[in-house]
Amino acid sequence: MHVIVIASYLIAAAAFLVGSVLLGVSWRGQRTGALLVVAALAMTAWGVFLAYAEWQRTVAISWVMLAEVLRYGAWLVFLSALFGASPMAGLLRGLRITAHVLWVALALYCVLPGTSLARSAALPFTISLPLVGMLVLALIGVVFLEQIYRNISPERRWAMKFLVIALGVMFAYDIFLYSYAVLYQRFNLSAWAARGFIVATLVPLLLVAAARNPVWSLEVAVSRRVVFYSTSLLVVAFYIIATAMGGYYVRLYGGDWGRVAEITLACFALLSVLLIASSGQARSRLRVFLHKNFFSFRYDYREEWLRLTTTLSASDTELPLRAVRALAQILDSPAGALLICDDEGQLVPEARWNMPVPADLKLSTELPALEFMRERQWIYNLDDAPPLGEAKLRAPAELQALPRVWLLVPLVQEQRLVGLVVLAQARAKRSFDWEDIDLVRAAGSQVSGTLAQAMNARSLAEARQFEGFNRLTAFLMHDLKNVAAQQSLLLQNAERHKRNPAFVDDMLTTVANAVGRISRLLEQLRGGVTPATLARVQLDVVIDKALAECQAQLPRPTYEPAQERLWVQADPEQFATVLGHVLRNAQDAAQAHGHVTLTLKRVAGDAAIEIEDDGAGMDEEFIRDRLFKPFFSTKESKGMGVGAYQAREYVRSLGGAVSVASVPGQGTVFTIRLPLADRDENSLRPGPLAATS
């Protein structure tokens, strides 16, 4: 019993210490709140002192009684402060004065044995007087609580009931304890030992009372999760105690079957606890009970919003399924489904969560009930009558036929019905009131925004795929246009030069080149050719090939080669095509009577190819904003707007750079710089003019 008493009062002290910290941190300056904090601290000191007294067993009984008196004094001062704002009858005012005089007198009497006055006057300390005084104080405390609860308005009783219950239990227990002590001149040891445990269980009730009374200026936020799990543990603890008591009496009076029945009862109790603890319906009912009776609002909105955000942003399942779960978990619904509005304006099943929905279900969004839900963001409760009592607003029969269907939550985004969430009945029977409606409506807006954003992202991805296809088509058409231009020039000159053997040879070479290029394009479209690989190429060879393809158009480019052979890493065919694009653009700008010059030279460790024309030129704004913009062309219907863009991107892929210098009315210089390949090969020594090494 010695260890039990110490543990009992230490637990009481720890519980009130936690309560004191919570109350102290939440205090906002009101006198009533300060007195409640002082009372909680007094309970903490009381528990520590009684545990110390039991441990030492040398503390005088007068000091123990002093601790009891001071504890009561703190609570009576707090209760008197609750009377301060209310008019009191003369009898009640006199009782309050009597209570304060009594506890102060008792405190002085308990201090008296330790003073010199008591030793000189030989005044003995009698335990009976403090015991009777404590009994009277407990009775006065009960009277105070009764008067407080009786005289406050019915609306405030909801806020005060937990304070009345907590202190009423404490005062009633002390009445029993001190009555026993007065009658038998000794304390009941079992009751004395249990008092600490009992007082510790009152702390949550006091915290809830403080949270419900903002006039005390104590903004205590009691976590719903902590209350839920703490209550669950208390219920399990009391259940285990009851089972143990039942097992004890079964063994005591069960005869030969007693031990067997005790073991069977214990196993059955353990199985029952496991079944109840794993039951979602039991947890849901306990949560509903706590929210109804312990909190001002049913939901902890911060926690609900964080859980909603976490569920929507998770990646464990598809977004439509997460959207259903996000709304279902708010109302503790075990099943649901999501219907999404398709391109035809019909709601079709998108996700199912523990709810069988016909795959061929289709609902027109123009149904009166759905239109009403969209316009007013109305959450349809199928347990209620149709909105406004109109039969035409009755929910669609297809949805009412779903198993255990309860709520229809519209997902509205910018006055457009994005989808509809169908929720099944909650695990525990519950009402659906304004607080549920506001939270579910706000959560539905968040879900609809997330779903709309996901659908827009999917549409954007599809648009980008089409954009990529269109870009590829534009590049192919650009190459085909160049081939067609070559063939057109051949046809224009064929009638006049068809008997010239040199022209015929050039024509056959040009046609063969065009056939090869078209064949490569077809292979690329079929995906039957491997990506081009880089190799060391001699620039003179590539430039000669590009110049040859441009000879049919005026003005014919002139070439100024470098003093040495320059080699770079590139694909010869693709690089020749890029040079051809740039040369033809220069020819178009210079027109037939202009001049186009291609110059190759070495600049430090790079090869520089300059293509200069004396055309109309371009201003800085055009070069900066539009020259390299794909699909923008100054040639109206004759151009595709991809030549300069394609040249720049390919040169960049080789590690090079493109620069343009132009003056309106004077011409343009288009410069391509590429890093040289192996430096040992870029010399004046003679060597083969092969395209690749």
Side-chain angles (χ1 to χ4, degrees), residues 76 80 83 88-103 136-137 139-147:
L76 291 175
S80 298
F83 283 117
M88 292 182 293
L91 180 61
L92 186 57
R93 185 181 297 106
L95 183 61
R96 187 176 69 162
I97 296 174
T98 301
H100 291 312
V101 171
L102 179 59
W103 76 262
V136 173
L137 288 178
L139 292 171
I140 293 175
V142 172
V143 173
F144 277 8
L145 292 176
E146 187 270 340
Q147 288 297 316

Side-chain angles (χ1 to χ4, degrees), residues 490 497-513 548:
L490 287 176
H497 301 289
K498 62 182 179 181
R499 292 180 178 82
N500 186 347
F503 174 79
V504 173
D505 292 340
D506 289 341
M507 181 182 67
L508 293 176
T509 301
T510 303
V511 171
N513 179 269

Side-chain angles (χ1 to χ4, degrees), residues 212-241:
R212 288 188 172 186
N213 288 273
V215 294
W216 299 353
S217 190
L218 289 168
E219 299 178 1
V220 182
V222 184
S223 170
R224 285 167 165 78
R225 183 175 297 179
V226 171
V227 171
F228 174 74
Y229 288 113
S230 300
T231 305
S232 301
L233 290 175
L234 285 175
V235 171
V236 172
F238 283 121
Y239 180 78
I240 292 175
I241 292 174

Side-chain angles (χ1 to χ4, degrees), residues 471-483:
R471 179 173 296 183
L472 174 62
T473 303
F475 287 140
L476 294 176
M477 291 179 64
H478 184 271
D479 290 340
L480 291 176
K481 177 183 70 70
N482 292 331
V483 173

Side-chain angles (χ1 to χ4, degrees), residues 325-344:
R325 286 169 45 198
L327 290 177
Q329 67 190 5
I330 295 176
L331 299 170
D332 210 10
S333 173
L338 172 64
L339 307 180
I340 288 292
C341 186
D342 62 8
D343 296 335
E344 299 177 357

Side-chain angles (χ1 to χ4, degrees), residues 36-275:
L36 179 59
V37 175
V38 171
L41 290 173
M43 293 293 293
T44 304
W46 166 79
V48 172
F49 181 78
L50 290 191
Y52 172 78
E54 180 64 25
W55 177 45
Q56 293 293 327
R57 291 191 172 181
T58 57
V59 179
I61 188 64
S62 60
W63 295 111
V64 175
M65 297 308 299
L66 176 63
E68 295 283 332
V69 172
L70 293 178
R71 172 179 72 115
Y72 261 85
W75 284 117
L76 291 175
V77 170
F78 169 70
L79 293 178
S80 298
L82 295 182
F83 283 117
S86 304
M88 292 182 293
L91 180 61
L92 186 57
R93 185 181 297 106
L95 183 61
R96 187 176 69 162
I97 296 174
T98 301
H100 291 312
V101 171
L102 179 59
W103 76 262
V104 172
L106 287 174
L108 294 175
Y109 181 76
C110 293
V111 173
L112 188 62
T115 63
S116 59
L117 178 62
R119 290 191 296 271
S120 61
L123 296 176
F125 177 80
T126 305
I127 188 63
S128 300
L129 183 59
L131 291 178
V132 173
M134 292 302 301
L135 180 59
V136 173
L137 288 178
L139 292 171
I140 293 175
V142 172
V143 173
F144 277 8
L145 292 176
E146 187 270 340
Q147 288 297 316
I148 290 174
Y149 196 74
R150 180 189 297 273
N151 293 316
I152 60 176
S153 62
E155 293 78 12
R156 287 202 60 201
R157 288 178 182 175
W158 171 85
M160 295 292 294
K161 66 179 180 180
F162 286 111
L163 174 70
V164 174
I165 291 174
L167 296 184
V169 169
M170 185 178 69
F171 292 152
Y173 193 89
D174 286 347
I175 289 173
F176 160 73
L177 183 68
Y178 290 120
S179 299
Y180 187 96
V182 169
L183 289 175
Y184 299 101
Q185 292 299 303
R186 61 184 177 86
F187 286 107
N188 185 309
L189 293 181
S190 298
W192 181 268
R195 186 167 59 154
F197 294 123
I198 294 172
V199 168
T201 61
L202 306 179
V203 174
L205 299 180
L206 294 174
L207 292 176
V208 173
R212 288 188 172 186
N213 288 273
V215 294
W216 299 353
S217 190
L218 289 168
E219 299 178 1
V220 182
V222 184
S223 170
R224 285 167 165 78
R225 183 175 297 179
V226 171
V227 171
F228 174 74
Y229 288 113
S230 300
T231 305
S232 301
L233 290 175
L234 285 175
V235 171
V236 172
F238 283 121
Y239 180 78
I240 292 175
I241 292 174
T243 303
M245 294 177 61
Y248 171 77
Y249 285 106
V250 166
R251 184 177 63 176
L252 186 63
Y253 299 107
D256 295 337
W257 288 89
R259 186 63 178 171
V260 176
E262 181 186 19
I263 295 174
T264 304
L265 179 62
C267 292
F268 176 77
L270 179 61
L271 179 62
S272 300
V273 169
L274 292 176
L275 291 175

